[in-house]
Amino acid sequence: MAEIGLKNLRHSYLPSPAGPDDFALKEINLSWDDGGAYALLGPSGCGKTTLLNIISGLLTPSEGHILFDGQDVTALPPDKRNIAQVFQFPVIYDTMTVYDNLAFPLRNRGVAADRVDARVSEIAAMLELDDSLTTRAANLTPDAKQKISMGRGLVRDDVNVIMFDEPLTVIDPELKWKLRSKLKELHQKIAVTMIYVTHDQTEALTFADQVVVMQDGEIVQIGSPVELFERPQHTFVGHFIGSPGMNILPCEVTGDGAWFHGCHVPLEGPVKGTGQRTEIGVRPEFVRLADGGIPGLVRKAADIGRHTVVEVMVGDTPVGAIVDGPAPERGAEVHLTFDPHQTRLYTDGWIATERAAP
Ligand code: ATP
């Protein structure tokens, strides 16, 4: 296990990058604690795989350093970094039994047979593979094969980090939640540093204690799932996390607050800094239909089980609200209020309100 540090990392796939747009990773600095559960979350093309390959040693960064427990490993090849990796598609030996597949990484390192047996039994039990240990891997379902692949990553107890790159891609949707929670449980049992790469917010938020959200080769926020939901530091995070995402509403800012379509909108606290583009950020969970407030017309309402998501047009801006009880009719005139404690101002995408002192 190791603490992992990334210092001033930049990477370009071009031989002579001219400007920031030529970098797949722009400037990455972070520190991951020994034994933590982390997720790298972001849309396709934001640089997750590039970062993972740099950590594992498959790719040498154009600039910067990778540190394992303070030791610079930037120049070390992958086999010297002591990392286990689980990929999107199962990496297993079809002709071997489940047992031999799980034992392989240990036998390969000369681990004694009784230790191999104990460890394989332990991991197989955790992954519920113990009934199929003598089965040939070729005869198993894709889900079971991916479980073996995970098991091969988890079986060694001497690794610095285990990295999962979209490991649930091949798993049936109904089994995904099961494996997701299994992985979380496994992390609690074997406290190895784990990094989980995904573009799926549910996977990231359920697995990780800390989520690193990336966009266009940059980290936009590192935080716990609650922090990312409650106080997105950037409109991208607000919009990307949550379903539906945060309302990002163009507004005017004057000395006495924010104005949206001519209505004064109380914010969580004082505004710091200025910018060219000003927007209010409020999650649909904190928008209410009320007797007074910002007038709008209901465009649609969708029943999502316990709640209804209502989309209200305020002028030409759609505003989402999650409401309990019956949904208003399409075309109905309604009024909206925002919970001031959960209403933030963003300038040029970045949060610009301070929380008022309690
Ligand atoms: P995905 O989820 O689709 O795998 P990602 O977040 O992992 O995306 P990367 O694969 O790291 O993103 O890609 C980051 C950027 O680098 C993208 O613009 C991509 O086109 C570019 N890129 C990735 N690999 C190469 C390569 N081998 N050569 C040139 N450009 C590359």
Side-chain angles (χ1 to χ4, degrees), residues 9-272:
L9 270 194
R10 300 213 310 155
H11 188 72
S12 175
Y13 288 99
L14 303 176
S16 328
D21 287 349
D22 288 344
F23 282 83
L25 292 182
K26 301 210 165 84
E27 173 90 27
I28 306 283
N29 283 291
L30 59 79
S31 170
W32 279 322
D33 292 341
D34 194 357
Y38 298 96
L40 273 179
L41 173 69
S44 183
C46 73
K48 305 180 295 291
T49 304
T50 303
L51 187 54
L52 210 61
N53 289 343
I54 287 176
I55 298 171
S56 66
L58 294 172
L59 197 62
T60 306
S62 312
E63 293 171 29
H65 299 274
I66 302 112
L67 309 171
F68 286 180
D69 282 336
Q71 195 198 341
D72 195 328
V73 298
T74 319
L76 287 187
D79 59 323
K80 295 277 186 311
R81 294 195 186 187
N82 217 6
I83 283 176
Q85 248 182 302
V86 179
F87 299 94
Q88 278 190 8
F89 300 100
V91 179
I92 57 169
Y93 297 102
D94 266 347
T95 53
M96 287 187 188
T97 62
V98 173
Y99 185 101
D100 288 340
N101 263 289
L102 293 176
F104 190 86
L106 299 174
R107 287 179 178 152
N108 209 20
R109 280 165 187 80
V111 175
D114 57 341
R115 176 80 193 121
V116 171
D117 197 49
R119 193 69 185 158
V120 168
S121 307
E122 190 184 346
I123 294 294
M126 285 183 196
L127 286 168
E128 293 167 21
L129 284 169
D130 35 358
D131 286 344
S132 51
L133 281 173
T134 54
T135 311
R136 252 180 222 276
N139 300 332
L140 297 173
T141 60
D143 304 322
K145 286 185 181 177
Q146 187 63 338
K147 275 207 224 172
I148 302 172
S149 213
M150 286 185 181
R152 285 163 55 90
L154 295 161
V155 78
R156 287 172 58 199
D157 55 8
D158 62 341
V159 291
N160 283 319
V161 54
I162 308 178
M163 304 203 294
F164 299 88
D165 191 357
E166 307 260 6
L168 302 182
T169 307
V170 293
I171 307 291
D172 273 354
E174 65 267 30
L175 276 178
K176 271 189 181 176
W177 71 267
K178 204 173 159 194
L179 269 186
R180 237 174 21 224
S181 37
K182 177 79 28 203
L183 207 54
K184 176 95 190 156
E185 196 185 309
L186 286 171
H187 178 260
Q188 280 152 1
K189 283 194 187 142
I190 53 165
V192 175
T193 313
M194 292 189 186
I195 303 174
Y196 189 108
V197 171
T198 180
H199 63 273
D200 180 326
Q201 56 162 311
T202 313
E203 285 182 24
L205 301 179
T206 43
F207 170 74
D209 302 325
Q210 290 275 305
V211 180
V212 178
V213 185
M214 293 182 68
Q215 182 201 23
D216 283 343
E218 287 180 293
I219 294 174
V220 276
Q221 187 169 358
I222 302 176
S224 67
V226 171
E227 284 163 348
L228 298 178
F229 181 81
E230 288 201 341
R231 238 179 113 67
Q233 295 299 296
H234 194 277
T235 49
F236 173 78
V237 179
H239 195 71
F240 193 66
I241 289 184
S243 181
M246 189 177 225
N247 293 299
I248 308 293
L249 312 171
C251 69
E252 312 256 302
V253 178
T254 60
D256 56 350
W259 298 80
F260 175 54
H261 284 271
C263 298
H264 182 251
V265 176
L267 301 169
E268 61 168 343
V271 175
K272 50 174 185 177

Side-chain angles (χ1 to χ4, degrees), residues 260-266 288-296 314 334-338:
F260 175 54
H261 284 271
C263 298
H264 182 251
V265 176
R288 298 269 166 274
L289 300 183
D291 293 334
I294 305 160
V314 177
V334 293
H335 288 86
L336 304 175
T337 58
F338 304 159

